[in-house]
Structure formats: C-alpha cells, structure tokens
Amino acid sequence: MNHSPVLLVIAHGSRDPRHAATVHALVRRVRATRPGLRVETGFLDFNVPSVQGVLESLAAEGVRDVVVLPLLLTRAFHAKADIPAVLREAPPGLRIRQAEVLGPSPLLLSALERRLYEAGLSPADKSSTGVVLASAGSTDPEAIAVIAAIAREWRHTGWCAVRPAFASAAFPAGFPRTEDAVRELRDLGCARVAVAPYVLAPGFLPDRIARGAAQADVLGEVLGASPEVARLLLRRYDEASTRTLLRTRVRASA
C-alpha cells in the first residue's frame, strides 16, 4: 500500500476553459512521471472541484496526509492569503503541509527556453536575441523583486538582453508593458526580440501578453504542461513531504 501523502495541486481557476484544460494536462504529466502517487486538483475559483470539496472528499475516504501545492510562480496574495484561508477550513482529521510555490527555479528557466525554441529560436540565436520576460503582474513587493531577479539571472545565460514586463493594469516602477519592453529591446539593438510568457496557463492576462508581443519576432507558449514544470511540482512535493516526515519522527522519538 502506498502511504505517501496525497498531492493536491491548487490552481486559481478561470472562466477561460483553456486554463483548466492546461492544469489538467499538467497534472496528467505529473501522474505519468511518478506512477503510484495520488494527485488531485482543486480550484480556488471559477472551476470545479473546489479545494474545500477535494479536502472534504479525501477526509471522507480516510486519507490523513496531504501536501497542497500552490500552482503559482511567485509568493503573492494567493499564496499568502487565499490558500491559507481555505486550508484553515479543512476537515480537522487531515494533516496538511503547504508546499512552496514553484518559482523561482532553474527548471522554470529551462521551460521558458524550451518554449522559445519550440517557437522557432535556436541556442545559436541567444547572443543576438533580446527577451521580454512577460509575467501576469503583481503589486506584492516580494513577487516584483523575484521577477526582476529572474530576468537578471536569465540575462547571464547568454541572451542579448532580458527585460521583465507586466501584463496587469498596475505597473510598478521599472516594469513596462510587454509592447514597451519589445520596443526597448529594439532600441537597444538586439537583432531579434522574443517574448517569453512567464505564466502557467492561458487566460485573460496571457492573451494580453500575446497582443503586446505583436511586434516581436518570436512569441513562446505558456509554460503549461512542460516536463520541467512537472518535475518541479514533484520536487516541491518531495521537499514538503520530507519536512513532514522529519517532524513526525521527532515527535515519535521525543
């Protein structure tokens, strides 16, 4: 019998049906990568099943250990407020560990490059290509700092330049819109400009990124069900599971 904690992937949800379809495709890849691990999906809004509904179903089955994994790239409002609030309403019999959000991680940079290469670039193009790292956006200072740091780190892997951009209506200082970042890289003299959406699934803001990339040479797809993202989900799960087991052992030996 498999006594590993159940992995519950928590996605935001969207009215756009492409969002849920992409989340489910990613979860299928995770299951295929690690057969035998039970992986469930819950949504905070718009889609079913809800996170609360999945937790109640698991408790009714007799499941006791759950690792919840926020399908988020940065620690912003959803990770800091929404998800903890939902988990506080979980059935009392469940032992729940919240895993870290996905980003930042070298695996995400690998996934971004995969999407750009699938869109037509090659590794030989890196030194002459400027990249717009286009994220959904946030007003959270921690999330903003992480996106800026990712852009700086990615630049050091050989690209002509990397500029962060936001798709949301609120633009913090130093973060242009996607179309403005494309123009900035043109003015900088990069031979070509690529836009890399730093988002997990299609939806309203990713569509805005795509519109902002109209004057770019290359537009990558969303990260979606890439193998790197699936591996990262399992890495975050393992990290959270190990912390839980260590605490259990400490209590047992006390």
Side-chain angles (χ1 to χ4, degrees):
M1 181 180 296
N2 186 355
H3 295 288
S4 299
V6 171
L7 170 57
L8 171 56
V9 175
I10 298 181
H12 181 271
S14 172
R15 293 186 178 89
D16 189 321
R18 297 173 298 168
H19 175 91
T22 301
V23 171
H24 290 311
L26 175 58
V27 168
R28 287 194 296 271
R29 185 179 282 275
V30 172
R31 290 179 180 135
T33 303
R34 187 172 296 181
L37 174 64
R38 181 172 179 180
V39 187
E40 301 291 343
T41 308
F43 295 90
L44 291 173
D45 204 356
F46 302 115
N47 303 106
V48 292
S50 68
V51 175
Q52 184 67 21
V54 175
L55 291 172
E56 291 174 355
S57 295
L58 291 173
E61 290 180 31
V63 171
R64 289 295 172 260
D65 292 299
V66 180
V67 169
V68 298
L69 194 155
L71 199 60
L72 301 168
L73 296 174
T74 58
R75 288 191 73 253
F77 182 80
H78 296 307
K80 295 177 179 179
D82 284 350
I83 292 176
V86 171
L87 296 182
R88 284 194 291 271
E89 303 300 320
L94 289 175
R95 293 187 290 266
I96 297 175
R97 169 69 66 184
Q98 182 174 334
E100 295 294 334
V101 298
L102 298 180
S105 168
L107 283 170
L108 291 175
L109 292 182
S110 297
L112 287 168
E113 294 203 2
R114 170 190 290 276
R115 292 308 192 211
L116 291 180
Y117 296 152
E118 290 171 347
L121 289 180
S122 73
D125 297 324
K126 290 185 72 169
S127 62
S128 58
T129 301
V131 178
V132 178
L133 179 69
S135 67
S138 175
T139 58
D140 185 283
E142 180 183 354
I144 293 169
V146 166
I147 297 298
I150 292 170
R152 289 193 299 270
E153 178 183 353
W154 204 15
R155 163 69 180 86
H156 293 313
T157 65
W159 297 100
C160 173
V162 178
R163 293 290 186 272
F166 273 6
S168 62
F171 300 102
F175 276 73
R177 298 175 300 172
T178 302
E179 51 266 43
D180 296 331
V182 169
R183 284 194 292 269
E184 180 184 346
L185 291 172
R186 292 275 189 221
D187 294 341
L188 192 64
C190 297
R192 65 184 62 79
V193 177
V195 174
Y198 190 64
V199 292
L200 285 164
F204 175 75
L205 290 177
D207 284 349
R208 181 178 287 177
I209 290 173
R211 291 193 297 272
Q215 301 304 313
D217 301 292
V218 174
L219 171 63
E221 292 291 333
V222 299
L223 295 169
S226 65
E228 293 86 358
V229 176
R231 286 167 53 200
L232 184 54
L233 260 69
L234 290 170
R235 179 175 296 179
R236 296 290 185 252
Y237 167 82
D238 290 338
E239 291 166 352
S241 298
T242 301
R243 286 197 299 271
T244 302
L245 291 172
L246 285 173
R247 292 190 178 192
T248 302
R249 291 193 189 102
V250 168
R251 286 198 299 267
S253 60

